[in-house]
Amino acid sequence: MAVRATRLKRVIGAVAAAAMVAVVAACGSGDSGDTAADGSVTLEFAQWWGAELPAGEFDKIVNDFTAQNPNIKIKLLSAPYASTKQQLLTGAASKTLPDVVGLDGAWVNDFAKQGAITDLSKLMTDANYDGSQLASQVQIKGKTYMIPVVNFVYPLFVNKDLLTKAGVAEVPTTRTQFLDAAKKMTATGSDVKGWALPLDTAVPNGIQNDVMSWLWASGGSMLTADGKPNLTSAQVKSTVEYVKSLNDAGVIAPGSLTMKEQDKVEKFTNGQVGMMIDSLAHINLIKKNKPDLKFEVAALPSEDGYTGKRGIPYASWGIGISNSTKHKAEAFKFVSYLMSQETNAKLSTIANGFPGNKNAKPDFSNSDPMFKTAFDIYQQGYPANEFVGLPKSEDLMRSFDEQLQLVLTGKTTVDDALAKSQQSWSSVIE
C-alpha cells in the first residue's frame, strides 16, 4: 500500500531479511511469549519502525517501558518494511506471528480473516482502557484489529519559485485554481509540468494518494455507509473526470502510466514538476537532495464551493496483537504504553509523524517549520484513507488503476471504467 513513512529509504538488506526469516521461524517454533523462571514474560515485537528511526531512539522508548514493567521484556525484531511485510504475511498464514506486530492497514482485513490477529476491542474492555483518546481505530465488522500509532499524512507540495514564475499569487485551494496554476506552470518551460501522477500498476498506491485524495479532500467517499463499493457515484465520477481534465490539458508529467512514487518525488525535487501530493516524511529528503528548492505544503484543493472539513490521505504505523500469543494482557499493556499521551508524542516527534493519541502533541521545536504547518492542516481536516481495512486493498487499487489508464489513453469512457471497477470491487468486498 502507499504509504509508507520513508519509502525512499527502504532498502532490503540481505542480512536484515535473513535475520527476519530466522526470527519469524523461531516464532513458529514456540519461542515467542516465553515465561521465565522468575515469572517475567518476553514479548517479541516485529516491525519496521526501528529501521526507519534514528539509531537507538526506538530502543530508548522500549527500555522506558521495561523499566516501568520489569515483569515484561520486549524483544525487538526490526527489519526494513519490505522484508517485515513478507515475513508477517507468511507468519499470518501459518498462525506463527510474533506476540506484537507492526501493521500496515492494507494487511488488516486479510490477517483478521485468517484469525492471525486478535480483537483489540475485547482487550481494551478487559483493561478498562479509554478508547476515546485514540485518533482512529481500524475495525472489521465492529471489532478493532489495528490501532494507528503514528500517522504520516500526504499534503500538497508546491514549488514556490515555479508558482511565482507562472504568475500565480496564491497556492491553489480549489480544483479550478489548481488546474489554472498547473497550466501556467506547464507554460513556463519545455521540461516543466504542473503535476505528477504515478500510476504504475506494479505499485498502484497512486490511486490512493494521488487520485482518491481529490475525492476525500471534498468530504467524498468511494464506499456506501455500510462499506460497499460506490464507484459509480457522482462524487467519484467528478473526481475521475477532474483527473482526466488535468491529463487532457497536458499538465501531467510524462510517463505517468509507469511512474512510481519515488519518480514523482525525484521530478519535484529536480524542479520538473510544480505540484505533487506526497508524504510529509519526504520533506527532509527533498531538502537534503536540493537545499535551494523553495517549496511549501498546503491542504489538498477541494471542489469549488466546498466548505466542509477536508480529508487528507495518510499512512500509519499500525499495531496489533497476535491471536496465538499466550500473553495478550501483557501485550496490550505494551500497546497502551505506546499510545499514552507522553510516549505517543515522543514517538511521533522522532518519526516526523502525527500522533495516534488525539491528546498528544509533537514537539516541533527542532524540526522544519513545514511540519507544524502540516500539523495545523491535519488538525483542521481529518485523516482519510478508505483503503485501510479493505480486503485485498492493493488489488482493488490495481484494478481501478487499469481502468483509469484506459480512460487517460482514450480507450474507454469514465462511465464504463467506473462501472467495470464497481463490478470488480463488488466481487472482492463482501
Side-chain angles (χ1 to χ4, degrees), residues 81-364:
Y81 173 85
S83 50
T84 299
K85 173 185 176 180
Q86 187 54 51
Q87 299 311 320
L88 293 185
L89 290 175
T90 302
S94 59
K95 307 289 195 303
T96 56
L97 285 177
D99 307 279
V100 184
V101 288
L103 292 174
D104 184 313
W107 315 334
V108 175
N109 193 289
D110 295 334
F111 282 14
K113 280 186 176 176
Q114 290 170 327
I117 50 178
T118 200
D119 173 14
L120 298 177
S121 307
K122 182 180 186 305
L123 297 183
M124 283 191 261
T125 300
D126 293 346
N128 293 317
Y129 182 80
D130 179 13
S132 67
Q133 65 190 292
L134 302 176
S136 59
Q137 301 175 43
V138 178
Q139 297 187 330
I140 310 292
K141 295 182 179 177
K143 295 179 179 180
T144 297
Y145 287 94
M146 173 183 130
I147 297 173
V149 181
V150 180
N151 295 315
F152 301 92
V153 299
Y154 282 64
L156 179 69
F157 283 61
V158 181
N159 183 318
K160 293 171 70 174
D161 285 339
L162 278 178
L163 200 69
T164 302
K165 187 177 179 181
V168 181
E170 302 288 339
V171 172
T173 61
T174 68
R175 289 183 183 179
T176 297
Q177 290 173 1
F178 184 90
L179 176 57
D180 178 65
K183 285 178 179 178
K184 289 176 177 175
M185 285 178 164
T186 300
T188 62
S190 59
D191 63 340
V192 174
K193 292 292 183 180
W195 187 49
L197 175 62
L199 290 177
D200 190 324
T201 54
V203 189
N205 55 336
I207 296 302
Q208 171 184 272
N209 300 330
D210 304 86
V211 177
M212 288 302 181
S213 51
W214 292 101
L215 172 72
W216 301 327
S218 299
S221 174
M222 61 187 200
L223 305 172
T224 61
D226 60 351
K228 305 296 183 188
N230 194 22
L231 301 180
T232 55
S233 70
Q235 285 181 312
V236 177
K237 182 178 178 180
S238 168
T239 298
V240 175
E241 286 179 334
Y242 180 67
V243 171
K244 182 178 183 297
S245 74
L246 292 167
N247 183 68
D248 292 346
V251 303
I252 298 178
S256 63
L257 303 189
T258 56
M259 186 182 291
K260 295 181 172 64
E261 183 177 274
Q262 59 263 37
D263 303 322
K264 168 183 72 176
V265 179
E266 187 176 329
K267 285 183 179 294
F268 181 83
T269 305
N270 292 334
Q272 296 171 287
V273 166
M275 297 178 286
M276 69 171 177
I277 300 165
D278 190 41
S279 169
L280 200 63
H282 291 154
I283 286 178
N284 290 337
L285 182 72
I286 294 169
K287 292 207 163 187
K288 178 184 176 184
N289 291 340
K290 200 70 176 285
D292 58 341
L293 183 69
K294 294 179 183 175
F295 67 99
E296 62 181 279
V297 296
L300 271 64
S302 66
E303 285 187 298
D304 296 36
Y306 177 73
T307 58
K309 285 194 170 187
R310 301 188 187 197
I312 183 167
Y314 75 100
S316 301
W317 284 354
I319 199 164
I321 294 173
S322 168
N323 204 26
S324 59
T325 180
K326 304 169 189 173
H327 304 288
K328 290 186 174 69
E330 290 87 349
F332 185 74
K333 191 168 189 178
F334 177 60
V335 170
S336 60
Y337 163 77
L338 292 177
M339 297 309 302
S340 65
Q341 185 174 336
E342 181 182 353
T343 304
N344 201 240
K346 190 183 300 182
L347 182 55
S348 55
T349 296
I350 61 175
N352 287 324
F354 298 154
N357 182 315
K358 63 174 68 169
N359 301 317
K361 292 213 175 345
D363 178 4
F364 296 109

